[in-house]
Amino acid sequence: SPAWWDGPVDSATISRRQGPLSALEGTAPALAVGDVAVRHVRLDPTGISRHFADSPGGFVPWSDTREIALGLPTTLWPHPAIGDTVWPTIEGLLSGGAATESLSETPTFPFRITTAQSDVVEWALTPHYLSGYRRRDARAATRLVEYLVAHPDARVLLAQPVALLERIT
């Protein structure tokens, strides 16, 4: 574990997912933003931590967080899985298979934290879907994160992420 990390590194269990948000249970419950198998952040009552799978790689306490901006990609597909399966198939058929070679690296989206000192910390997160998230799911996630920044007393809800996701869905 990194020197700054004093919490447990555990294999979190995803109990519920809604758009870009995942409720993680285990010894360190948290609400994750992004694909938990790759690059994501975990929000818990103490702050925001960047992770690559189960490995932590950065931390900003809530007391040092002034603003969070999510750059969530969105899609017009009724469900993002349709866009991830149907569209590449159509594109591949129309381009003779060349379209599948156009994706050279894993897409990411920005998660920006403005600290109390006006510094900006930006982490690249991995989406669950290449086509993006439903707009309503992206709006709900953005509003929840903004609410957590603006209302410190609400952060205790992050200790029970499943219940929190059930409340917002």
Side-chain angles (χ1 to χ4, degrees):
S1 295
W4 56 265
W5 182 257
D6 61 0
V9 175
D10 76 317
S11 253
T13 303
I14 300 172
S15 297
R16 182 176 175 97
R17 193 162 76 74
Q18 181 66 39
L21 304 174
S22 299
L24 303 179
E25 293 185 301
T27 57
L31 186 66
V33 180
D35 189 344
V36 177
V38 201
R39 294 180 198 102
H40 65 284
V41 296
R42 295 183 186 185
L43 312 173
D44 68 34
T46 62
I48 305 109
S49 57
R50 179 181 58 166
H51 284 257
F52 185 81
D54 286 334
S55 301
F59 181 79
V60 177
W62 284 111
S63 60
D64 197 29
T65 303
R66 188 173 74 198
E67 181 181 355
I68 295 177
L70 291 168
L72 292 167
T74 59
T75 183
L76 294 174
W77 292 99
H79 192 282
I82 296 170
D84 281 6
T85 55
V86 173
W87 182 247
T89 303
I90 293 169
E91 193 176 30
L93 290 171
L94 295 176
S95 68
T100 58
E101 297 170 7
S102 65
L103 188 61
S104 60
E105 63 182 60
T106 304
T108 60
F109 64 91
F111 185 94
R112 290 182 197 91
I113 303 169
T114 303
T115 67
Q117 297 80 24
S118 297
D119 294 327
V120 176
V121 177
E122 183 171 324
W123 293 326
L125 308 183
T126 308
H128 297 91
Y129 301 106
L130 298 174
S131 62
Y133 298 102
R134 288 183 275 205
R135 290 174 190 241
R136 70 173 185 225
D137 291 336
R139 278 192 307 269
T142 299
R143 278 184 275 180
L144 175 61
V145 170
E146 289 171 350
Y147 187 84
L148 292 169
V149 171
H151 298 89
D153 54 323
R155 297 175 195 151
V156 298
L157 298 172
L158 293 167
Q160 297 179 343
V162 175
L164 178 59
L165 272 187
E166 287 173 355
R167 288 177 82 171
I168 67 166
T169 56

